[in-house]
Amino acid sequence: MAGCTFVARLLPLARGRFCNNMSLPVRTATRAFSCTLTCSQLQQVHGVSALTGKVDRFGGVTVNLAEVGLPGDISESSFSGLLQDSLAQWKAEGKAAVWLRVPISLSRCAAAASAHGFTFHHARNDYAMLALWLGEGESRLPGFATHQIGVAGAVVDESNAKVLVVQDRNKTKNAWKFPGGLSDPGENIGTTAVREVFEETGVRSEFRSLLSIRQQHNHPGAFGMSDMYIICRLSPLTYEINFCTQECLRCEWLDISELAKTSETTPITTRLASLLLHGLEHGFDKIDLNMEELPAVYSGRFYQLYYRQLPTILKL
């Protein structure tokens, strides 16, 4: 009992976990003693009793087990106890999610994490990424990307030359932008734009055309993969704003001319605002890439082609 008391003083997180039953079988007591020794090693490495990681702009924390100084021989049970106390701390701090990067040399820690609700997100040659949603409701964590497809909708009210814009709550810079988000697997980009606009602003709309595509590689929000960002032109079906306060800080119908010249936006939004002004003045057929659904070479399948259609007189 004295030995157990010593371990509890050395590492507070172990208190009550192994020493509250004097009649433990010999094998169980041996495993507990081995675990506390490993945890003592961890205490000597860190000087703390919880895992540390990098907090992202969305309120999540990423822990790279290759960088936190875990003993190479740490056991599943030792890591499980450490993770349990860390999760309690992150929940108390209001963290939204935990990303756990597990090197292949510590793959036994993945098994321990799974007992706490972690699931595989993706894996590469030398590591696996596990994830656990801690926020309210269903998980809003993005799926793993090879190419991440983001879609935004520029909802244009042609009657007064206004466009629907938002400011994201989770961005480091509160810039005006078009509402949007990630496209789901099997979802057409026009459908994504309409869905995301409604989810973020409460405004219903319909797809008109594709306006632009931005390509970016090693995107930090796509796990280092490539990112495609597509902006569509939409027409409003409703006009009343009821924006999502979890995702958006502000939402307004803004004059397109003002959006084209304000400094409170991004280079993409500025250029798209100028493009929309040109469309209002000279016709959207001058700027639109329209969509046409065509039969694929595979029987029963179709694809969507986005392109600048020729004037009717030239088609004939």
Side-chain angles (χ1 to χ4, degrees):
M1 183 67 179
C4 288
T5 303
F6 170 76
V7 171
R9 284 201 302 268
L10 181 63
L11 188 60
L13 70 87
R15 186 183 296 118
R17 191 166 288 144
F18 309 120
C19 306
N20 58 358
N21 190 343
M22 289 295 294
S23 61
L24 285 173
V26 174
R27 285 187 299 174
T28 303
T30 302
R31 286 197 301 268
F33 180 68
S34 173
C35 176
T36 53
L37 283 179
T38 305
C39 289
S40 298
Q41 294 172 5
L42 184 63
Q43 176 75 6
Q44 294 170 5
V45 172
H46 278 287
V48 296
S49 59
L51 295 168
T52 58
K54 297 179 180 179
V55 178
D56 60 43
R57 64 182 182 180
F58 299 107
V61 58
T62 299
V63 179
N64 188 343
L65 297 187
E67 297 178 352
V68 298
L70 293 177
D73 60 348
I74 189 170
S75 68
E76 280 189 38
S77 56
S78 295
F79 180 75
S80 179
L82 182 63
L83 182 60
Q84 179 177 325
D85 289 341
S86 301
L87 286 171
Q89 177 179 322
W90 291 323
K91 289 177 181 177
E93 294 172 351
K95 294 294 186 290
V98 181
W99 298 93
L100 196 63
R101 179 168 171 151
V102 182
I104 195 168
S105 61
L106 292 173
S107 57
R108 58 191 172 280
C109 293
S114 69
H116 296 279
F118 280 84
T119 57
F120 283 115
H121 184 264
H122 66 274
R124 301 296 296 270
N125 292 341
D126 57 351
Y127 76 89
M129 183 73 81
L130 280 67
L132 178 64
W133 175 252
L134 299 179
E136 297 179 356
E138 295 183 358
S139 173
R140 297 199 298 272
L141 295 177
F144 179 54
T146 54
H147 280 68
Q148 178 171 275
I149 305 296
V151 185
V155 187
V156 179
D157 185 349
E158 298 180 47
S159 67
N160 56 16
K162 290 180 181 289
V163 65
L164 189 65
V165 289
V166 299
Q167 288 184 0
D168 283 344
R169 177 170 294 280
N170 296 320
K171 296 291 186 181
T172 53
K173 179 181 178 181
N174 292 326
W176 287 118
K177 61 182 284 290
F178 303 120
L182 295 180
S183 186
D184 292 333
E187 185 177 53
N188 290 339
I189 58 175
T191 303
T192 302
V194 169
R195 173 179 57 78
E196 286 287 344
V197 165
F198 177 71
E199 290 176 357
E200 290 192 8
T201 71
V203 173
R204 296 190 180 277
S205 60
E206 60 181 349
F207 174 80
R208 291 299 187 186
S209 71
L210 186 151
L211 293 174
S212 71
I213 301 175
R214 181 211 68 192
Q215 184 177 24
Q216 183 175 347
H217 301 294
N218 296 315
H219 191 276
F223 308 100
M225 296 298 179
S226 298
D227 177 84
M228 305 288 285
Y229 179 61
I230 299 169
I231 298 180
C232 301
R233 182 173 70 87
L234 310 178
S235 292
L237 298 176
T238 62
Y239 299 87
E240 182 178 355
I241 292 174
N242 182 22
F243 69 90
C244 174
T245 56
Q246 290 183 330
E247 295 190 33
C248 303
L249 186 66
R250 298 170 65 187
C251 178
E252 294 182 15
W253 288 100
L254 198 65
D255 286 333
I256 299 177
S257 58
E258 180 180 345
L259 185 63
K261 62 184 179 182
T262 181
S263 60
E264 297 181 359
T265 188
T266 65
I268 293 177
T269 307
T270 297
R271 285 160 174 76
L272 265 293
S274 298
L275 189 67
L276 291 172
L277 282 176
H278 184 83
L280 285 170
E281 295 173 2
H282 304 284
F284 285 113
D285 61 303
K286 302 296 191 298
I287 66 170
D288 284 343
L289 294 178
N290 299 107
M291 187 273 286
E292 185 176 3
E293 190 168 72
L294 300 170
V297 294
Y298 304 100
S299 177
R301 296 182 180 270
F302 293 83
Y303 62 85
Q304 294 75 43
L305 179 67
Y306 298 86
Y307 68 108
R308 177 72 58 78
Q309 294 182 351
L310 294 173
T312 304
I313 187 170
L314 293 181
K315 285 183 181 179
L316 299 177

